Amino acid sequence: MSIKDWGKFALLGLIWGSSFFWIKLGLRELPPLTLVALRILLAAVVLTLVAWAGRVPVGGLRRWADFLVIGILNAALPFFLITWSEQHIPSGVASILNSTVPLFTILLSPWFVPEDRWTAPRVVGMGVGFLGVIVLLSPQAFSSGLSGSLSGHIGMLLASICYAVSPIYARRRLSGLDPRVQALGQMWVAAALIIPIAGQVEAPLTLPRLPLSWLAVGWLGIVGSCAGNLLFYSLLNSVGPTRTALVSYLFPLVGVILGVGLLAEPLTWQIFAGGVLIIGGVLLVNARRLWFWPPRKASGVHLLEEL
């Protein structure tokens, strides 16, 4: 990745890595569908203003069928699943389950995106990065034996699968579109789907009363869903689904670092070791080859192609 791509990658990890905290905060006053609906509606409105201010050609929005798929898989469904699941499982467990996104992506992407092939560095890097997530979160996630309901665990895994499939679909069907158009189309379709459902299931819809709840909705909508998706689609267009999905490994690392820096939480060996493994895994996935593995030529699609 270029230096610019690395900057986008780090910023996206920082933005989305803090989302679990803001979701927990928003759930203190709002039910899950209402929180998701407000988040998506706010993001759609702000993205519309961004497109209008930038005089972005929006002809690509005519591809409504593609945006319907992306709106469901990359916004409406995973947003709800994560928000609902966090009512039933600890945030540490949610972070670990969310970090399976790159694993699902590397299994699926090579079948649909020819340039996103399996290689030894990618396979090893994915494993090293996921091990780092487990080490990082082991104190709080495993102290009670992966506590929480089975349904909460399943909900997070389903959200991870959605997040693995959606960038692959977007890379195949929406590649070349301005990231602002991709994010805008996704959010308005998601809003059209989730707001009526929230109005039926959680009627009557209520607005937040506490300033902190409004801050949570504002962060999730403007920063998390608007700015985050602009960065996401920009990365997807330039580096592909597998490398973009690696940002999920940064989420728990960002959460723990914020806890140490802002909440004076203790700096443990798990934080250091997990952080090294996560960063090492990300670097491995972006390596051309493993330094300890002799290169060889291979024909066709193999598991360890282009070592």
Side-chain angles (χ1 to χ4, degrees), residues 26 35 37 42 61 68 81 83 110 144 153-154 204 242 246 280 303:
L35 177 59
L42 180 59
L61 293 178
L68 176 62
L81 288 170
T83 305
S144 56
H153 299 141
I154 294 174
T242 297
L246 282 174
L303 178 62

Side-chain angles (χ1 to χ4, degrees), residues 36 48 71 80 136 145 155 282 292:
V36 172
T48 301
F80 167 70
L136 179 73
V282 172
F292 55 82

Side-chain angles (χ1 to χ4, degrees), residues 28 163 199:
R28 295 171 63 181
Y163 280 141

Side-chain angles (χ1 to χ4, degrees), residues 11-214:
L11 183 57
L12 183 58
L14 180 63
I15 290 173
W16 281 355
S18 63
S19 293
F20 291 96
F21 166 76
W22 292 106
I23 290 171
K24 280 285 190 185
L25 197 60
L27 285 172
R28 295 171 63 181
E29 187 178 3
L30 295 171
L33 278 172
T34 301
L35 177 59
V36 172
L38 290 173
R39 170 186 183 176
I40 291 176
L41 178 61
L42 180 59
V45 171
V46 175
L47 283 166
T48 301
L49 295 176
V50 168
W52 176 77
R55 298 182 178 180
V56 179
V58 293
L61 293 178
R62 298 190 186 98
R63 299 164 69 170
W64 62 268
D66 290 328
F67 283 115
L68 176 62
V69 175
I70 296 299
I72 293 172
L73 291 179
N74 203 48
L77 186 55
F79 283 5
F80 167 70
L81 288 170
I82 292 173
T83 305
W84 178 83
S85 296
E86 283 206 53
Q87 297 179 114
H88 306 284
I89 59 177
S91 59
V93 176
S95 295
I96 287 179
L97 294 174
N98 188 77
S99 295
T100 59
V101 172
L103 303 180
F104 287 122
T105 302
I106 200 172
L107 288 174
L108 296 172
S109 185
W111 299 101
F112 303 98
V113 183
E115 66 270 23
D116 213 28
R117 294 169 291 189
W118 288 307
T119 65
R122 288 188 176 188
V123 173
V124 174
M126 289 288 185
V128 170
F130 188 64
L131 177 62
V133 172
I134 294 176
V135 170
L136 179 73
L137 297 175
S138 57
Q140 64 263 42
F142 297 107
S143 59
S144 56
L146 281 176
S147 61
S149 71
L150 178 61
S151 58
H153 299 141
I154 294 174
M156 281 303 306
L157 286 174
L158 289 175
S160 296
I161 293 172
C162 288
Y163 280 141
V165 173
S166 59
I168 297 171
Y169 185 91
R171 178 64 180 241
R172 284 183 60 89
R173 301 287 299 177
L174 299 174
S175 182
L177 284 182
D178 188 302
R180 291 167 291 186
V181 175
Q182 295 185 47
L184 178 62
Q186 166 192 299
M187 284 302 166
W188 273 117
V189 169
L193 292 171
I194 204 72
I195 291 174
I197 295 174
Q200 289 292 322
V201 176
E202 296 175 351
L205 290 179
T206 57
L207 293 177
R209 296 187 301 274
L210 301 175
L212 205 54
S213 299
W214 277 112

Side-chain angles (χ1 to χ4, degrees), residues 9-10 13-14 16-18 20 91-92 95-96 98-99 129 132-137 140 246-261 265 267-282:
F9 185 85
L14 180 63
W16 281 355
S18 63
F20 291 96
S91 59
S95 295
I96 287 179
N98 188 77
S99 295
V133 172
I134 294 176
V135 170
L136 179 73
L137 297 175
Q140 64 263 42
L246 282 174
V247 75
S248 299
Y249 283 164
L250 298 185
F251 299 168
L253 182 60
V254 168
V256 171
I257 290 175
L258 289 176
V260 172
E265 294 178 352
L267 182 63
T268 65
W269 71 265
Q270 288 97 338
I271 294 175
F272 177 78
V276 168
L277 287 169
I278 289 170
I279 294 171
V282 172

